Amino acid sequence: MTNSDKNRLKDKAFQVFGIFCTFIGLVVLAVLIVKIIMEGASRIDWSFITSLPSRRASRAGIYSAWTGTLWILVLTTIIAFPLGVSAGVYLEEYAKKTRLANFLEINIANLAGVPSIIYGLLGLEIFVRQMKLGNSLLAGALTLSLLILPIIIVTTREAIKAVPRSIRDGSYALGASKWQTVWHQVLPASFGGILTGVILALSRAVGEAAPLIVVGALAYVPFAPTSPLDEFTVLPIQIFNWTSRPQAAFLVNASAAIIILLLITFLLNGIAVYLRNRQQKKIKW
Amino acid sequence: MSKKEYKLEAKELNAYYGGFHALKGINIAMEEKTVTAFIGPSGCGKSTFLRTFNRMNDYIEGFRVEGEILLDSRDIYDKKVRVDELRKEVGMVFQKPNPFPKSIFENVVYGLKIQGIKKKSVLEEAAERTLRQAALWDEVKDKLQKSALALSGGQQQRLCIARALASQPSVLLMDEPASALDPISTAKVEELIYELKKEYTIVIVTHNMQQAGRVSDYTAFFYIGELVEYSKTKAMFTSPKDTRTQNYITGRFG
């Protein structure tokens, strides 16, 4: 075998290996989804979505869980979106490149890697106990906001960085202040990117169970929350609860609830992808 | 020196980027309604100098100036001067066309809008006036609401000129305004400069000797942060006094 043959063989070998690596994750996901759908799809009907949890699997539903998830989603957005975007704008546009800024930057990146249960403990101490919010939706949303803030800050900064210097220069040269430049030029031009990051962060928050369990979300909530100070449960916790029951019928319920949860996350991710593509088509520097 | 008033003056101007001495003791005076070209090899400080006239260097960390820049005999680095007011008076056009990702109309009236002018009739009037001044009106009058990014490079640059004129400045700074354009668009921009000179004091940085020769009344040659020679363009191109100027304009370096 000549050297050239050997090289070609290696090339081919890596290609096959690469395809294998690419598909391994997708295949596992596909198998999981198919299994879940086969188990749970037939369980989904109107009463499953509109019923409260019950001791009897056939009468149990996810009404309190999905309304809880929706509440958490909305509250977390309201809290984390302005905070995260403002912090990102500050760090990128205003903060001088000092050692302190550097230090902050590194630590925000670090925060994104802190395990979510740690945020749960933090939320338990600060929001539930110190601020006396109790095991409420608000405490849960605040905790999840802390969890996704670093992600929003980092993606906001990336999106802002992608706006070319020349746009800022053009705005300043016309007499615009820094704030006017940020508000009229930088934010609109990077909004798609920012929104994409926020939505992806939210879709992560929607799937979290651990920090909310620590904060005191309950497994059994026989009512739909009506105010931010109500106790609550969310879909992941409901799923966790059902999978830990011995009766097989509850496992079917869990599968059905997983389908709903996946639909919500896929929907959010889909919106994010759509926004990103639209942004890319609209603006070519 | 005669006693006449100059539009723009620099007196003993020094500028630093951190420890780097970028402009060294520059003295220059420019008359109203003339075109002055800044020429010189890359890194000689001509763009830095241009940007001191509307204080665009203020945002660069570590940048500082000593000496005076006078606009209508007022020091623009004085603490009382507000940068936004200054930039209403001194417009700027950049090397690469940099239209905002907004409609043509929104681009032109941006400067006015950030001043708080909201009246539609005023904005529309200003848009038509400046687009006509920039010789762009006929090409875009039917698509003012279309994105500025859909225009050609040459049109974009003329849009940027129109945008700079909207707040009715008296000085126009141009930083290599044609270097990213094709020859036909370049010719249009040069024609425009010739027209605009009737109303505005123009300072243009250029790498193109022929361009400097065609459009400017005065030329200033910069070399490593110094103003080497400043005189009438014709005089400089026919009989440069300094050998460095001569070497540069005859293409021996740069």
Side-chain angles (χ1 to χ4, degrees), chain A residues 96-97 166-167 169-176 180 184-185 283 285, chain B residues 51 56 59 61 84 87 92 94 98-102 110 114 163-164:
Chain A
K96 293 235 162 66
K97 304 283 172 268
S166 61
I167 294 296
D169 279 350
S171 177
Y172 289 139
L174 290 167
Q180 286 174 321
H184 293 294
Q185 300 297 343
I283 297 178
W285 304 113
Chain B
R51 285 159 170 262
M56 277 299 278
Y59 292 108
E61 269 171 57
D84 54 335
R87 289 177 186 160
M92 185 165 204
F94 295 84
N98 59 346
F100 303 132
K102 297 174 184 291
Y110 181 73
I114 57 173
R163 191 173 72 182

PDB file of all heavy atoms in Angstrom, chain A residues 96-97 166-167 169-176 180 184-185 283 285, chain B residues 51 56 59 61 84 87 92 94 98-102 110 114 163-164:
ATOM      1  N   LYS A  96     -15.774  50.292  31.588  1.00  0.00           N
ATOM      2  CA  LYS A  96     -14.404  50.449  31.098  1.00  0.00           C
ATOM      3  C   LYS A  96     -13.704  49.101  31.244  1.00  0.00           C
ATOM      4  O   LYS A  96     -14.024  48.296  32.103  1.00  0.00           O
ATOM      5  CB  LYS A  96     -13.690  51.515  31.934  1.00  0.00           C
ATOM      6  CG  LYS A  96     -14.268  52.901  31.721  1.00  0.00           C
ATOM      7  CD  LYS A  96     -13.161  53.868  31.306  1.00  0.00           C
ATOM      8  CE  LYS A  96     -13.724  55.116  30.657  1.00  0.00           C
ATOM      9  NZ  LYS A  96     -14.520  55.935  31.592  1.00  0.00           N
ATOM     10  N   LYS A  97     -12.754  48.870  30.365  1.00  0.00           N
ATOM     11  CA  LYS A  97     -12.074  47.569  30.401  1.00  0.00           C
ATOM     12  C   LYS A  97     -11.036  47.546  31.534  1.00  0.00           C
ATOM     13  O   LYS A  97      -9.844  47.506  31.303  1.00  0.00           O
ATOM     14  CB  LYS A  97     -11.398  47.284  29.057  1.00  0.00           C
ATOM     15  CG  LYS A  97     -12.359  47.341  27.886  1.00  0.00           C
ATOM     16  CD  LYS A  97     -13.225  46.082  27.786  1.00  0.00           C
ATOM     17  CE  LYS A  97     -14.313  46.203  26.749  1.00  0.00           C
ATOM     18  NZ  LYS A  97     -15.611  46.719  27.256  1.00  0.00           N
ATOM     19  N   SER A 166     -18.857  50.477  13.061  1.00  0.00           N
ATOM     20  CA  SER A 166     -19.178  51.586  12.156  1.00  0.00           C
ATOM     21  C   SER A 166     -20.588  52.135  12.397  1.00  0.00           C
ATOM     22  O   SER A 166     -20.837  53.313  12.178  1.00  0.00           O
ATOM     23  CB  SER A 166     -19.037  51.136  10.705  1.00  0.00           C
ATOM     24  OG  SER A 166     -19.935  50.091  10.431  1.00  0.00           O
ATOM     25  N   ILE A 167     -21.498  51.260  12.859  1.00  0.00           N
ATOM     26  CA  ILE A 167     -22.858  51.723  13.137  1.00  0.00           C
ATOM     27  C   ILE A 167     -22.853  52.663  14.337  1.00  0.00           C
ATOM     28  O   ILE A 167     -23.484  53.715  14.341  1.00  0.00           O
ATOM     29  CB  ILE A 167     -23.783  50.518  13.423  1.00  0.00           C
ATOM     30  CG1 ILE A 167     -23.929  49.659  12.169  1.00  0.00           C
ATOM     31  CG2 ILE A 167     -25.142  50.977  13.910  1.00  0.00           C
ATOM     32  CD1 ILE A 167     -24.605  50.362  11.026  1.00  0.00           C
ATOM     33  N   ASP A 169     -20.241  54.401  15.377  1.00  0.00           N
ATOM     34  CA  ASP A 169     -19.552  55.615  14.932  1.00  0.00           C
ATOM     35  C   ASP A 169     -20.515  56.541  14.199  1.00  0.00           C
ATOM     36  O   ASP A 169     -20.547  57.738  14.449  1.00  0.00           O
ATOM     37  CB  ASP A 169     -18.386  55.260  14.001  1.00  0.00           C
ATOM     38  CG  ASP A 169     -17.149  54.830  14.780  1.00  0.00           C
ATOM     39  OD1 ASP A 169     -17.150  54.991  16.014  1.00  0.00           O
ATOM     40  OD2 ASP A 169     -16.198  54.329  14.153  1.00  0.00           O
ATOM     41  N   GLY A 170     -21.298  55.948  13.286  1.00  0.00           N
ATOM     42  CA  GLY A 170     -22.236  56.741  12.515  1.00  0.00           C
ATOM     43  C   GLY A 170     -23.217  57.470  13.420  1.00  0.00           C
ATOM     44  O   GLY A 170     -23.518  58.642  13.212  1.00  0.00           O
ATOM     45  N   SER A 171     -23.671  56.782  14.436  1.00  0.00           N
ATOM     46  CA  SER A 171     -24.635  57.374  15.356  1.00  0.00           C
ATOM     47  C   SER A 171     -23.992  58.483  16.204  1.00  0.00           C
ATOM     48  O   SER A 171     -24.541  59.577  16.331  1.00  0.00           O
ATOM     49  CB  SER A 171     -25.204  56.272  16.256  1.00  0.00           C
ATOM     50  OG  SER A 171     -26.087  56.815  17.199  1.00  0.00           O
ATOM     51  N   TYR A 172     -22.814  58.190  16.749  1.00  0.00           N
ATOM     52  CA  TYR A 172     -22.122  59.208  17.552  1.00  0.00           C
ATOM     53  C   TYR A 172     -21.814  60.444  16.722  1.00  0.00           C
ATOM     54  O   TYR A 172     -21.949  61.578  17.186  1.00  0.00           O
ATOM     55  CB  TYR A 172     -20.801  58.649  18.111  1.00  0.00           C
ATOM     56  CG  TYR A 172     -20.980  57.622  19.185  1.00  0.00           C
ATOM     57  CD1 TYR A 172     -20.182  56.491  19.230  1.00  0.00           C
ATOM     58  CD2 TYR A 172     -21.933  57.794  20.179  1.00  0.00           C
ATOM     59  CE1 TYR A 172     -20.336  55.538  20.214  1.00  0.00           C
ATOM     60  CE2 TYR A 172     -22.096  56.845  21.172  1.00  0.00           C
ATOM     61  CZ  TYR A 172     -21.294  55.722  21.187  1.00  0.00           C
ATOM     62  OH  TYR A 172     -21.451  54.788  22.160  1.00  0.00           O
ATOM     63  N   ALA A 173     -21.383  60.217  15.475  1.00  0.00           N
ATOM     64  CA  ALA A 173     -20.990  61.346  14.630  1.00  0.00           C
ATOM     65  C   ALA A 173     -22.163  62.273  14.345  1.00  0.00           C
ATOM     66  O   ALA A 173     -21.967  63.431  14.004  1.00  0.00           O
ATOM     67  CB  ALA A 173     -20.386  60.837  13.321  1.00  0.00           C
ATOM     68  N   LEU A 174     -23.391  61.747  14.487  1.00  0.00           N
ATOM     69  CA  LEU A 174     -24.560  62.603  14.270  1.00  0.00           C
ATOM     70  C   LEU A 174     -25.007  63.258  15.571  1.00  0.00           C
ATOM     71  O   LEU A 174     -26.058  63.875  15.633  1.00  0.00           O
ATOM     72  CB  LEU A 174     -25.694  61.776  13.668  1.00  0.00           C
ATOM     73  CG  LEU A 174     -25.436  61.339  12.220  1.00  0.00           C
ATOM     74  CD1 LEU A 174     -26.415  60.287  11.785  1.00  0.00           C
ATOM     75  CD2 LEU A 174     -25.502  62.534  11.289  1.00  0.00           C
ATOM     76  N   GLY A 175     -24.208  63.094  16.611  1.00  0.00           N
ATOM     77  CA  GLY A 175     -24.502  63.782  17.859  1.00  0.00           C
ATOM     78  C   GLY A 175     -25.291  62.958  18.855  1.00  0.00           C
ATOM     79  O   GLY A 175     -25.743  63.482  19.868  1.00  0.00           O
ATOM     80  N   ALA A 176     -25.482  61.667  18.561  1.00  0.00           N
ATOM     81  CA  ALA A 176     -26.235  60.838  19.488  1.00  0.00           C
ATOM     82  C   ALA A 176     -25.427  60.569  20.756  1.00  0.00           C
ATOM     83  O   ALA A 176     -24.205  60.450  20.700  1.00  0.00           O
ATOM     84  CB  ALA A 176     -26.620  59.523  18.822  1.00  0.00           C
ATOM     85  N   GLN A 180     -28.695  56.963  23.441  1.00  0.00           N
ATOM     86  CA  GLN A 180     -29.436  57.025  22.182  1.00  0.00           C
ATOM     87  C   GLN A 180     -28.885  56.023  21.178  1.00  0.00           C
ATOM     88  O   GLN A 180     -29.628  55.379  20.449  1.00  0.00           O
ATOM     89  CB  GLN A 180     -29.365  58.435  21.588  1.00  0.00           C
ATOM     90  CG  GLN A 180     -30.244  59.434  22.329  1.00  0.00           C
ATOM     91  CD  GLN A 180     -30.063  60.844  21.827  1.00  0.00           C
ATOM     92  OE1 GLN A 180     -28.944  61.258  21.511  1.00  0.00           O
ATOM     93  NE2 GLN A 180     -31.145  61.591  21.756  1.00  0.00           N
ATOM     94  N   HIS A 184     -31.370  53.276  19.895  1.00  0.00           N
ATOM     95  CA  HIS A 184     -31.849  53.392  18.512  1.00  0.00           C
ATOM     96  C   HIS A 184     -31.085  52.516  17.534  1.00  0.00           C
ATOM     97  O   HIS A 184     -31.591  52.204  16.460  1.00  0.00           O
ATOM     98  CB  HIS A 184     -31.769  54.845  18.040  1.00  0.00           C
ATOM     99  CG  HIS A 184     -32.701  55.768  18.753  1.00  0.00           C
ATOM    100  ND1 HIS A 184     -34.064  55.673  18.641  1.00  0.00           N
ATOM    101  CD2 HIS A 184     -32.467  56.785  19.607  1.00  0.00           C
ATOM    102  CE1 HIS A 184     -34.627  56.605  19.389  1.00  0.00           C
ATOM    103  NE2 HIS A 184     -33.683  57.284  19.995  1.00  0.00           N
ATOM    104  N   GLN A 185     -29.849  52.172  17.855  1.00  0.00           N
ATOM    105  CA  GLN A 185     -29.054  51.411  16.886  1.00  0.00           C
ATOM    106  C   GLN A 185     -28.677  50.019  17.379  1.00  0.00           C
ATOM    107  O   GLN A 185     -28.970  49.025  16.745  1.00  0.00           O
ATOM    108  CB  GLN A 185     -27.761  52.179  16.527  1.00  0.00           C
ATOM    109  CG  GLN A 185     -28.006  53.544  15.915  1.00  0.00           C
ATOM    110  CD  GLN A 185     -28.739  53.464  14.596  1.00  0.00           C
ATOM    111  OE1 GLN A 185     -28.806  52.422  13.964  1.00  0.00           O
ATOM    112  NE2 GLN A 185     -29.329  54.568  14.181  1.00  0.00           N
ATOM    113  N   ILE A 283     -30.613  41.499   8.070  1.00  0.00           N
ATOM    114  CA  ILE A 283     -29.452  42.380   8.197  1.00  0.00           C
ATOM    115  C   ILE A 283     -28.198  41.711   7.677  1.00  0.00           C
ATOM    116  O   ILE A 283     -27.759  40.698   8.191  1.00  0.00           O
ATOM    117  CB  ILE A 283     -29.245  42.804   9.664  1.00  0.00           C
ATOM    118  CG1 ILE A 283     -30.446  43.618  10.134  1.00  0.00           C
ATOM    119  CG2 ILE A 283     -27.977  43.620   9.799  1.00  0.00           C
ATOM    120  CD1 ILE A 283     -30.372  44.033  11.563  1.00  0.00           C
ATOM    121  N   TRP A 285     -24.412  42.908   7.058  1.00  0.00           N
ATOM    122  CA  TRP A 285     -23.504  44.061   7.179  1.00  0.00           C
ATOM    123  C   TRP A 285     -22.630  44.166   5.958  1.00  0.00           C
ATOM    124  O   TRP A 285     -22.134  43.219   5.451  1.00  0.00           O
ATOM    125  CB  TRP A 285     -22.638  43.935   8.430  1.00  0.00           C
ATOM    126  CG  TRP A 285     -23.470  43.776   9.644  1.00  0.00           C
ATOM    127  CD1 TRP A 285     -23.560  42.679  10.435  1.00  0.00           C
ATOM    128  CD2 TRP A 285     -24.369  44.744  10.222  1.00  0.00           C
ATOM    129  NE1 TRP A 285     -24.448  42.887  11.445  1.00  0.00           N
ATOM    130  CE2 TRP A 285     -24.949  44.137  11.341  1.00  0.00           C
ATOM    131  CE3 TRP A 285     -24.705  46.047   9.881  1.00  0.00           C
ATOM    132  CZ2 TRP A 285     -25.866  44.790  12.138  1.00  0.00           C
ATOM    133  CZ3 TRP A 285     -25.622  46.695  10.672  1.00  0.00           C
ATOM    134  CH2 TRP A 285     -26.202  46.084  11.780  1.00  0.00           C
TER     135      TRP A 285
ATOM    136  N   ARG B  51     -10.420  63.268  13.249  1.00  0.00           N
ATOM    137  CA  ARG B  51     -11.391  62.930  14.279  1.00  0.00           C
ATOM    138  C   ARG B  51     -11.304  63.814  15.521  1.00  0.00           C
ATOM    139  O   ARG B  51     -12.177  63.749  16.373  1.00  0.00           O
ATOM    140  CB  ARG B  51     -11.221  61.466  14.685  1.00  0.00           C
ATOM    141  CG  ARG B  51     -11.767  60.507  13.655  1.00  0.00           C
ATOM    142  CD  ARG B  51     -11.174  59.131  13.796  1.00  0.00           C
ATOM    143  NE  ARG B  51     -11.887  58.169  12.963  1.00  0.00           N
ATOM    144  CZ  ARG B  51     -12.837  57.373  13.423  1.00  0.00           C
ATOM    145  NH1 ARG B  51     -13.180  57.393  14.687  1.00  0.00           N
ATOM    146  NH2 ARG B  51     -13.455  56.543  12.617  1.00  0.00           N
ATOM    147  N   MET B  56     -14.360  62.607  17.872  1.00  0.00           N
ATOM    148  CA  MET B  56     -14.719  61.197  17.763  1.00  0.00           C
ATOM    149  C   MET B  56     -13.722  60.291  18.480  1.00  0.00           C
ATOM    150  O   MET B  56     -13.958  59.106  18.661  1.00  0.00           O
ATOM    151  CB  MET B  56     -14.814  60.774  16.290  1.00  0.00           C
ATOM    152  CG  MET B  56     -16.128  61.105  15.639  1.00  0.00           C
ATOM    153  SD  MET B  56     -17.546  60.296  16.406  1.00  0.00           S
ATOM    154  CE  MET B  56     -17.448  58.689  15.629  1.00  0.00           C
ATOM    155  N   TYR B  59     -14.073  58.513  22.677  1.00  0.00           N
ATOM    156  CA  TYR B  59     -14.490  57.208  23.197  1.00  0.00           C
ATOM    157  C   TYR B  59     -13.346  56.211  23.277  1.00  0.00           C
ATOM    158  O   TYR B  59     -13.499  55.141  23.831  1.00  0.00           O
ATOM    159  CB  TYR B  59     -15.602  56.619  22.329  1.00  0.00           C
ATOM    160  CG  TYR B  59     -16.874  57.404  22.436  1.00  0.00           C
ATOM    161  CD1 TYR B  59     -17.306  58.200  21.383  1.00  0.00           C
ATOM    162  CD2 TYR B  59     -17.612  57.379  23.609  1.00  0.00           C
ATOM    163  CE1 TYR B  59     -18.470  58.940  21.485  1.00  0.00           C
ATOM    164  CE2 TYR B  59     -18.772  58.112  23.726  1.00  0.00           C
ATOM    165  CZ  TYR B  59     -19.199  58.893  22.663  1.00  0.00           C
ATOM    166  OH  TYR B  59     -20.345  59.621  22.780  1.00  0.00           O
ATOM    167  N   GLU B  61     -10.259  54.565  24.694  1.00  0.00           N
ATOM    168  CA  GLU B  61      -9.626  54.585  26.015  1.00  0.00           C
ATOM    169  C   GLU B  61      -8.159  54.920  25.902  1.00  0.00           C
ATOM    170  O   GLU B  61      -7.456  54.427  25.034  1.00  0.00           O
ATOM    171  CB  GLU B  61      -9.820  53.227  26.691  1.00  0.00           C
ATOM    172  CG  GLU B  61     -11.093  53.200  27.522  1.00  0.00           C
ATOM    173  CD  GLU B  61     -11.423  51.813  28.021  1.00  0.00           C
ATOM    174  OE1 GLU B  61     -10.568  51.222  28.696  1.00  0.00           O
ATOM    175  OE2 GLU B  61     -12.533  51.350  27.741  1.00  0.00           O
ATOM    176  N   ASP B  84     -22.614  66.796  21.689  1.00  0.00           N
ATOM    177  CA  ASP B  84     -23.723  66.635  20.739  1.00  0.00           C
ATOM    178  C   ASP B  84     -23.966  67.925  19.955  1.00  0.00           C
ATOM    179  O   ASP B  84     -24.292  67.884  18.763  1.00  0.00           O
ATOM    180  CB  ASP B  84     -24.994  66.143  21.455  1.00  0.00           C
ATOM    181  CG  ASP B  84     -25.382  67.022  22.623  1.00  0.00           C
ATOM    182  OD1 ASP B  84     -24.505  67.692  23.171  1.00  0.00           O
ATOM    183  OD2 ASP B  84     -26.575  67.041  22.980  1.00  0.00           O
ATOM    184  N   ARG B  87     -21.285  68.198  17.289  1.00  0.00           N
ATOM    185  CA  ARG B  87     -21.443  67.299  16.139  1.00  0.00           C
ATOM    186  C   ARG B  87     -22.617  67.681  15.243  1.00  0.00           C
ATOM    187  O   ARG B  87     -22.719  67.204  14.118  1.00  0.00           O
ATOM    188  CB  ARG B  87     -21.569  65.855  16.633  1.00  0.00           C
ATOM    189  CG  ARG B  87     -20.243  65.369  17.169  1.00  0.00           C
ATOM    190  CD  ARG B  87     -20.295  63.995  17.737  1.00  0.00           C
ATOM    191  NE  ARG B  87     -19.010  63.672  18.359  1.00  0.00           N
ATOM    192  CZ  ARG B  87     -18.852  62.725  19.257  1.00  0.00           C
ATOM    193  NH1 ARG B  87     -19.879  61.995  19.629  1.00  0.00           N
ATOM    194  NH2 ARG B  87     -17.657  62.501  19.774  1.00  0.00           N
ATOM    195  N   MET B  92     -19.800  64.192   9.762  1.00  0.00           N
ATOM    196  CA  MET B  92     -18.697  63.304   9.386  1.00  0.00           C
ATOM    197  C   MET B  92     -19.184  62.177   8.473  1.00  0.00           C
ATOM    198  O   MET B  92     -20.258  61.628   8.648  1.00  0.00           O
ATOM    199  CB  MET B  92     -18.063  62.700  10.632  1.00  0.00           C
ATOM    200  CG  MET B  92     -16.839  61.857  10.319  1.00  0.00           C
ATOM    201  SD  MET B  92     -15.883  61.544  11.805  1.00  0.00           S
ATOM    202  CE  MET B  92     -14.269  61.249  11.089  1.00  0.00           C
ATOM    203  N   PHE B  94     -17.714  58.486   6.778  1.00  0.00           N
ATOM    204  CA  PHE B  94     -16.653  57.516   7.065  1.00  0.00           C
ATOM    205  C   PHE B  94     -16.160  56.820   5.804  1.00  0.00           C
ATOM    206  O   PHE B  94     -16.734  56.940   4.724  1.00  0.00           O
ATOM    207  CB  PHE B  94     -17.167  56.479   8.063  1.00  0.00           C
ATOM    208  CG  PHE B  94     -17.488  57.079   9.402  1.00  0.00           C
ATOM    209  CD1 PHE B  94     -18.720  57.673   9.639  1.00  0.00           C
ATOM    210  CD2 PHE B  94     -16.544  57.078  10.421  1.00  0.00           C
ATOM    211  CE1 PHE B  94     -19.011  58.239  10.867  1.00  0.00           C
ATOM    212  CE2 PHE B  94     -16.831  57.640  11.648  1.00  0.00           C
ATOM    213  CZ  PHE B  94     -18.073  58.228  11.862  1.00  0.00           C
ATOM    214  N   ASN B  98     -21.698  53.478   6.011  1.00  0.00           N
ATOM    215  CA  ASN B  98     -22.252  52.808   7.198  1.00  0.00           C
ATOM    216  C   ASN B  98     -23.694  53.212   7.450  1.00  0.00           C
ATOM    217  O   ASN B  98     -24.027  53.752   8.490  1.00  0.00           O
ATOM    218  CB  ASN B  98     -21.387  53.095   8.437  1.00  0.00           C
ATOM    219  CG  ASN B  98     -21.285  54.573   8.741  1.00  0.00           C
ATOM    220  OD1 ASN B  98     -21.638  55.404   7.914  1.00  0.00           O
ATOM    221  ND2 ASN B  98     -20.830  54.917   9.923  1.00  0.00           N
ATOM    222  N   PRO B  99     -24.571  52.921   6.466  1.00  0.00           N
ATOM    223  CA  PRO B  99     -25.984  53.221   6.707  1.00  0.00           C
ATOM    224  C   PRO B  99     -26.505  52.386   7.870  1.00  0.00           C
ATOM    225  O   PRO B  99     -26.029  51.274   8.084  1.00  0.00           O
ATOM    226  CB  PRO B  99     -26.666  52.812   5.396  1.00  0.00           C
ATOM    227  CG  PRO B  99     -25.755  51.797   4.804  1.00  0.00           C
ATOM    228  CD  PRO B  99     -24.372  52.190   5.211  1.00  0.00           C
ATOM    229  N   PHE B 100     -27.446  52.958   8.605  1.00  0.00           N
ATOM    230  CA  PHE B 100     -28.073  52.187   9.673  1.00  0.00           C
ATOM    231  C   PHE B 100     -29.020  51.162   9.050  1.00  0.00           C
ATOM    232  O   PHE B 100     -29.585  51.419   7.985  1.00  0.00           O
ATOM    233  CB  PHE B 100     -28.863  53.110  10.597  1.00  0.00           C
ATOM    234  CG  PHE B 100     -28.028  54.200  11.200  1.00  0.00           C
ATOM    235  CD1 PHE B 100     -28.472  55.513  11.187  1.00  0.00           C
ATOM    236  CD2 PHE B 100     -26.796  53.923  11.770  1.00  0.00           C
ATOM    237  CE1 PHE B 100     -27.710  56.529  11.739  1.00  0.00           C
ATOM    238  CE2 PHE B 100     -26.028  54.940  12.324  1.00  0.00           C
ATOM    239  CZ  PHE B 100     -26.487  56.241  12.310  1.00  0.00           C
ATOM    240  N   PRO B 101     -29.195  50.030   9.708  1.00  0.00           N
ATOM    241  CA  PRO B 101     -30.130  49.029   9.156  1.00  0.00           C
ATOM    242  C   PRO B 101     -31.573  49.463   9.336  1.00  0.00           C
ATOM    243  O   PRO B 101     -32.355  48.817  10.008  1.00  0.00           O
ATOM    244  CB  PRO B 101     -29.796  47.761   9.955  1.00  0.00           C
ATOM    245  CG  PRO B 101     -29.149  48.246  11.202  1.00  0.00           C
ATOM    246  CD  PRO B 101     -28.491  49.543  10.884  1.00  0.00           C
ATOM    247  N   LYS B 102     -31.887  50.599   8.742  1.00  0.00           N
ATOM    248  CA  LYS B 102     -33.241  51.149   8.807  1.00  0.00           C
ATOM    249  C   LYS B 102     -33.600  51.637   7.404  1.00  0.00           C
ATOM    250  O   LYS B 102     -32.800  51.488   6.476  1.00  0.00           O
ATOM    251  CB  LYS B 102     -33.270  52.337   9.773  1.00  0.00           C
ATOM    252  CG  LYS B 102     -32.934  51.995  11.215  1.00  0.00           C
ATOM    253  CD  LYS B 102     -32.840  53.280  12.038  1.00  0.00           C
ATOM    254  CE  LYS B 102     -32.423  53.009  13.464  1.00  0.00           C
ATOM    255  NZ  LYS B 102     -33.430  52.311  14.267  1.00  0.00           N
ATOM    256  N   TYR B 110     -32.209  60.656  11.092  1.00  0.00           N
ATOM    257  CA  TYR B 110     -31.767  60.163  12.409  1.00  0.00           C
ATOM    258  C   TYR B 110     -31.202  61.288  13.283  1.00  0.00           C
ATOM    259  O   TYR B 110     -31.560  61.435  14.451  1.00  0.00           O
ATOM    260  CB  TYR B 110     -30.726  59.064  12.225  1.00  0.00           C
ATOM    261  CG  TYR B 110     -30.221  58.464  13.519  1.00  0.00           C
ATOM    262  CD1 TYR B 110     -31.023  57.624  14.267  1.00  0.00           C
ATOM    263  CD2 TYR B 110     -28.940  58.747  13.992  1.00  0.00           C
ATOM    264  CE1 TYR B 110     -30.583  57.079  15.445  1.00  0.00           C
ATOM    265  CE2 TYR B 110     -28.482  58.205  15.177  1.00  0.00           C
ATOM    266  CZ  TYR B 110     -29.304  57.366  15.903  1.00  0.00           C
ATOM    267  OH  TYR B 110     -28.850  56.829  17.076  1.00  0.00           O
ATOM    268  N   ILE B 114     -32.864  62.403  16.928  1.00  0.00           N
ATOM    269  CA  ILE B 114     -32.239  62.327  18.246  1.00  0.00           C
ATOM    270  C   ILE B 114     -32.124  63.702  18.887  1.00  0.00           C
ATOM    271  O   ILE B 114     -31.894  63.815  20.080  1.00  0.00           O
ATOM    272  CB  ILE B 114     -30.857  61.639  18.210  1.00  0.00           C
ATOM    273  CG1 ILE B 114     -29.931  62.348  17.261  1.00  0.00           C
ATOM    274  CG2 ILE B 114     -30.968  60.173  17.879  1.00  0.00           C
ATOM    275  CD1 ILE B 114     -28.528  61.822  17.302  1.00  0.00           C
ATOM    276  N   ARG B 163     -27.145  62.188   5.258  1.00  0.00           N
ATOM    277  CA  ARG B 163     -27.420  62.029   6.684  1.00  0.00           C
ATOM    278  C   ARG B 163     -26.617  63.032   7.504  1.00  0.00           C
ATOM    279  O   ARG B 163     -27.113  63.624   8.453  1.00  0.00           O
ATOM    280  CB  ARG B 163     -27.045  60.602   7.059  1.00  0.00           C
ATOM    281  CG  ARG B 163     -27.465  60.142   8.397  1.00  0.00           C
ATOM    282  CD  ARG B 163     -27.174  58.663   8.550  1.00  0.00           C
ATOM    283  NE  ARG B 163     -25.748  58.392   8.676  1.00  0.00           N
ATOM    284  CZ  ARG B 163     -25.225  57.180   8.782  1.00  0.00           C
ATOM    285  NH1 ARG B 163     -26.014  56.121   8.743  1.00  0.00           N
ATOM    286  NH2 ARG B 163     -23.937  57.003   8.898  1.00  0.00           N
ATOM    287  N   ALA B 164     -25.360  63.208   7.082  1.00  0.00           N
ATOM    288  CA  ALA B 164     -24.490  64.128   7.814  1.00  0.00           C
ATOM    289  C   ALA B 164     -24.918  65.578   7.616  1.00  0.00           C
ATOM    290  O   ALA B 164     -24.640  66.434   8.449  1.00  0.00           O
ATOM    291  CB  ALA B 164     -23.040  63.943   7.376  1.00  0.00           C
TER     292      ALA B 164
END
